[in-house]
Amino acid sequence: MDPIHYCRQQVAPLGSAIDYSVRYLNDDKANAVIALYAFQHAMHDIKAKCTDLSIADAKLTWWRNEIDLVYTGKPNHPVAQALNDIVTAFSLHQQRFDNIINATESDLHHPDTVHCTGEMQLLISQVLGFSYDKTLEYAKQLGLGLEYAAIGDTTLARQHLSNAQTTLPIIDHKTQFPGLIMAAITQRLLIKPRITPLRMWWIARRLRRHA
């Protein structure tokens, strides 16, 4: 299976929030964003499905090797293969992927402590492009907001998503609109846990028109 097709099946099926967030991007950027979300999904999958810490640790070690291969060789997993096509094109730093793996490990070994990093949105912001360094603070806040929403901490999710929206420089709205779409859809889901694909499409279209 084509690596990007695999990634899209995992995280961006038609009518999903990620699907709507990337629809207005060119293919290269859309595929890069989808590949990054697929990597994040792989980490979440380990946390959700591995109850045996030794198995989880083995999987994370395997993923560390896969990320090494993304930068130095030929990775085996379709998500890593998709990343292999984008890390050079968008100058993505390996340390950010390592940080995500390390945070996953910390979550597994210390479940009473939350280890949100915001690293994924920092990677995505680099793919999308930005003019001001302040946009990196926006990306960090957005990433934290989405991560807190994913674990059900609605208070911190709302706080960080609101911070993100007020932090992003106006000039970078045109490139960073996929993150704004994800923030708006997530905020809506925090109010009403189920929304229709049509509603998500309307949110995405409105934000794209005003970016």
Side-chain angles (χ1 to χ4, degrees), residues 1-10 27-28 30-36 78-79 81-83 85-86:
M1 180 184 294
D2 173 73
I4 287 297
H5 181 63
Y6 174 88
C7 292
R8 185 174 281 277
Q9 281 189 332
Q10 294 297 304
D27 287 346
D28 288 344
N31 290 341
V33 171
I34 289 170
L36 289 168
V79 171
Q81 290 169 357
L83 293 175
D85 294 333
I86 69 170

Side-chain angles (χ1 to χ4, degrees), residues 56-109:
D57 285 341
K59 286 179 177 288
L60 292 176
T61 297
W62 186 88
W63 268 107
R64 286 189 177 96
N65 183 62
E66 279 292 281
I67 293 301
D68 283 341
L69 291 174
V70 165
Y71 285 88
T72 63
K74 293 184 178 180
N76 302 289
H77 195 282
V79 171
Q81 290 169 357
L83 293 175
N84 192 222
D85 294 333
I86 69 170
V87 294
T88 301
F90 295 103
S91 302
L92 303 181
H93 298 302
Q94 182 174 352
Q95 187 59 52
R96 295 208 184 280
F97 293 99
D98 292 338
N99 290 345
I100 293 168
I101 295 173
N102 292 340
T104 303
E105 182 179 51
S106 295
D107 283 339
L108 287 162
H109 285 267

Side-chain angles (χ1 to χ4, degrees), residues 117-131:
T117 66
E119 292 281 357
M120 181 51 60
Q121 292 303 318
L122 288 166
L123 286 165
I124 290 173
S125 71
Q126 193 161 343
V127 168
L128 299 176
F130 56 89
S131 300

Side-chain angles (χ1 to χ4, degrees), residues 4 11 21 32 34 72 87-88 100 112 142 156 166 168 206 210:
I4 287 297
V11 298
S21 77
I34 289 170
T72 63
V87 294
T88 301
I100 293 168
D112 294 332
L142 173 62
L156 285 176
T166 57
L168 181 63
R206 176 176 58 85
H210 290 90

Side-chain angles (χ1 to χ4, degrees), residues 184-208:
I185 290 175
T186 302
Q187 285 173 319
R188 182 71 179 178
L189 287 167
L190 291 173
I191 298 170
K192 187 177 181 180
R194 298 185 67 179
I195 61 175
T196 66
L198 180 61
R199 181 67 178 179
M200 286 192 282
W201 171 82
W202 182 86
I203 291 171
R205 184 171 179 270
R206 176 176 58 85
L207 286 169
R208 180 66 185 100

